[in-house]
Amino acid sequence: MLGTLDWGPADERLDLLAAPVAAAIGAVPDAEVAEIDPELADTAAFCERYEVPLDAGANCVVVAAKRGGQVSYAACMVLATGRADVNGVVRRRLGARKVSFAPMADATSLTGMEYGGITPVGLPGGWPVLVDEAVAAAPRVVIGSGLRKSKILLPGKALTGLPGAELLALAR
């Protein structure tokens, strides 16, 4: 196991997952979930309190891509120790003139997830999920559950099997 949490099969604790995550978790092999203090959902606080190495955390960043008056959304998965190259790699991959972090209200309403718990599992259909190579190479990563009160643990490579997933050198 990882850290001091009590991990268990995610498909047996759907009460710890946001509705869209619960609906999609059965397609994610070896996913586990653990309950946490919702006040400690942010990566740094979570890792410190639950003794999870920072490089075992993977953050999901929702971006809004704009081109020709149209806005589209995507999720970027990077290790907590890295940063997504939003203005370079992500912008070029999405074919956008401008890419920025999606406003919190948009990210939460579009995903049906809580801010600070957004995860690539269960995202709206058609959204690209850009997974950094380091995340996919990690034996196990901790990601959001869609709720601030829990986290999901899974093999990094499992993220590449999600709908819309693409493997890229995303972090700088």
Side-chain angles (χ1 to χ4, degrees), residues 14-88:
L14 300 181
D15 60 304
L16 293 177
L17 307 174
V21 180
I25 199 69
V28 182
D30 303 316
E32 298 180 82
V33 68
E35 191 165 6
I36 66 166
D37 179 340
E39 296 297 316
L40 300 173
D42 294 331
T43 305
F46 165 79
C47 288
E48 182 178 334
R49 167 60 180 85
Y50 297 105
E51 299 177 20
V52 172
L54 202 54
D55 63 357
N59 292 327
C60 182
V61 178
V62 176
V63 296
K66 299 173 185 169
R67 181 170 189 93
Q70 298 293 328
V71 178
S72 60
Y73 295 90
C76 302
M77 292 301 301
V78 293
L79 290 179
T81 53
R83 294 179 59 136
D85 183 3
V86 173
N87 292 313

Side-chain angles (χ1 to χ4, degrees), residues 65-67 90-99:
K66 299 173 185 169
R67 181 170 189 93
V90 175
R91 183 183 58 75
R92 284 190 300 274
R93 166 51 198 86
L94 298 176
R97 182 184 50 77
K98 181 180 180 187
V99 174

